[in-house]
Amino acid sequence: GQQLNQSPQSMFIQEGEDVSMNCTSSSIFNTWLWYKQDPGEGPVLLIALYKAGELTSNGRLTAQFGITRKDSFLNISASIPSDVGIYFCAGFLGTASKLTFGTGTRLQVTL
Amino acid sequence: DAGITQSPRHKVTETGTPVTLRCHQTENHRYMYWYRQDPGHGLRLIHYSYGVKDTDKGEVSDGYSVSRSKTEDFLLTLESATSSQTSVYFCAISETTLNTEAFFGQGTRLTVV
C-alpha cells in the first residue's frame, strides 16, 4: 500500500524557535492534510491543501503542497509550549475515499 | 468541535470475546471511518462507509467487521478479540469525497488480555 514518510520522527526545540517538518510519499496525492494530536485526544485538522504548489497559512502555521504532488511541508513559526504534540500528515487520492496517514512527528518545546 | 462520540472510551476484554465499538455523529456526514493507532504506525484505516449499508475495507481489515444501519452510527466489531488488536481506535467523519477534511472522535482505548 501507499507509504507516507514523515521526518523528523521527533524534535526538541526551544520556545520561540521555528519548526519545519515534511512528509513524502511514493505515490501522488490530490489532497494533503496536516493534523495535530494532543495526548489522549483525537487528531485535530490544522491545514488542508488541495492544489499542487499551494501555500496555505493558519496563524503561525504554514503548509505547502509539493509541486510533484508527492510531498508536503509544515512550518510552525515562533513555537510556544502549546505546540507540543504529535503532528501527522495525511494524503488523499480522491476516488478511493481513503486517507493515508504518516507516522507522525513528535514535537517537544522547552522553555 | 464536530459532533462525534465514541463509546466506550476505554475497554478491557479477554482474548476470544466479541467486542463492539460505537461511533455516533450528529453532523449528518456521509463518510465514516474507523482507524487504529499504534506506536510507530500512525493511523491505519480498518474500514470505512460511504453511506447507509455501504462499507468497504481499509488496509488492516482482517479480524474486523463493520455495520452502518443509520447515517449517524458506525459500529466496529471484533468478532473474536486477539492481543494484536490492543490499540486505540478512532472514528472519523467527512462530508464528501471532495471535501476531505475528516474530523476525528476522541478515541477508544481497547486492551485485550
Side-chain angles (χ1 to χ4, degrees), chain B residues 5-90:
Chain B
T5 305
Q6 289 186 233
S7 59
R9 291 293 313 278
H10 302 271
K11 185 170 182 66
V12 179
T13 192
E14 293 186 346
T15 298
T17 59
V19 177
T20 296
L21 309 182
R22 181 182 184 235
C23 178
H24 178 78
Q25 60 145 328
T26 58
E27 305 296 322
N28 202 35
H29 283 2
R30 179 180 176 185
Y31 295 88
M32 300 185 75
Y33 310 82
W34 277 107
Y35 288 87
R36 59 177 290 174
Q37 184 174 33
D38 305 290
H41 290 280
L43 288 128
R44 293 180 293 174
L45 182 66
I46 305 171
H47 282 280
Y48 69 100
S49 169
Y50 45 95
V52 173
K53 294 189 178 3
D54 293 323
T55 64
D56 204 350
K57 297 179 179 179
E59 60 181 302
V60 290
S61 59
D62 288 348
Y64 302 95
S65 63
V66 290
S67 67
R68 191 161 176 207
S69 58
K70 298 184 290 185
T71 298
E72 57 266 34
D73 289 324
F74 193 32
L75 304 180
L76 177 70
T77 298
L78 290 64
E79 302 290 347
S80 177
T82 67
S83 58
S84 65
Q85 294 176 312
T86 292
S87 186
V88 181
Y89 291 85
F90 286 100

Side-chain angles (χ1 to χ4, degrees), chain A residues 7 11 25 52 79:
Chain A
S7 64
M11 304 179 72
S25 169
S79 59

Side-chain angles (χ1 to χ4, degrees), chain A residues 31 33 35 37 40-43 45 48 50 88 92 94-104, chain B residues 9 31 33 35 37 40-43 45 48 57-58 90 97-106:
Chain A
T31 299
L33 305 173
Y35 288 85
Q37 186 177 27
E41 301 291 331
L45 182 66
Y50 297 104
F88 289 99
F92 181 77
T95 55
S97 302
K98 302 175 188 177
L99 274 176
T100 300
F101 280 82
T103 52
Chain B
R9 291 293 313 278
Y31 295 88
Y33 310 82
Y35 288 87
Q37 184 174 33
H41 290 280
L43 288 128
L45 182 66
Y48 69 100
K57 297 179 179 179
F90 286 100
T97 53
L98 297 178
N99 178 4
T100 53
E101 296 178 1
F103 301 96
F104 284 80
Q106 291 188 298

Side-chain angles (χ1 to χ4, degrees), chain A:
Chain A
Q2 293 167 328
Q3 296 286 327
L4 288 184
N5 299 308
Q6 272 188 258
S7 64
Q9 288 188 334
S10 62
M11 304 179 72
F12 290 83
I13 63 169
Q14 287 193 327
E15 184 178 7
E17 289 184 348
D18 296 341
V19 174
S20 292
M21 60 188 78
N22 68 75
C23 193
T24 59
S25 169
S26 56
S27 306
I28 62 172
F29 286 106
N30 292 335
T31 299
W32 283 96
L33 305 173
W34 284 93
Y35 288 85
K36 177 176 182 275
Q37 186 177 27
D38 293 325
E41 301 291 331
V44 174
L45 182 66
L46 299 174
I47 291 180
L49 302 158
Y50 297 104
K51 187 177 176 182
E54 180 181 358
L55 187 71
T56 297
S57 294
N58 178 8
R60 294 179 295 106
L61 278 62
T62 301
Q64 184 162 24
F65 192 140
I67 291 293
T68 66
R69 295 167 63 194
K70 291 185 178 182
D71 55 10
S72 181
F73 307 88
L74 177 69
N75 295 316
I76 305 173
S77 63
S79 59
I80 59 178
S82 62
D83 290 334
V84 167
I86 303 176
Y87 291 80
F88 289 99
C89 63
F92 181 77
L93 192 50
T95 55
S97 302
K98 302 175 188 177
L99 274 176
T100 300
F101 280 82
T103 52
T105 293
R106 184 180 295 274
L107 179 63
Q108 301 271 33
V109 179
T110 58
L111 299 176

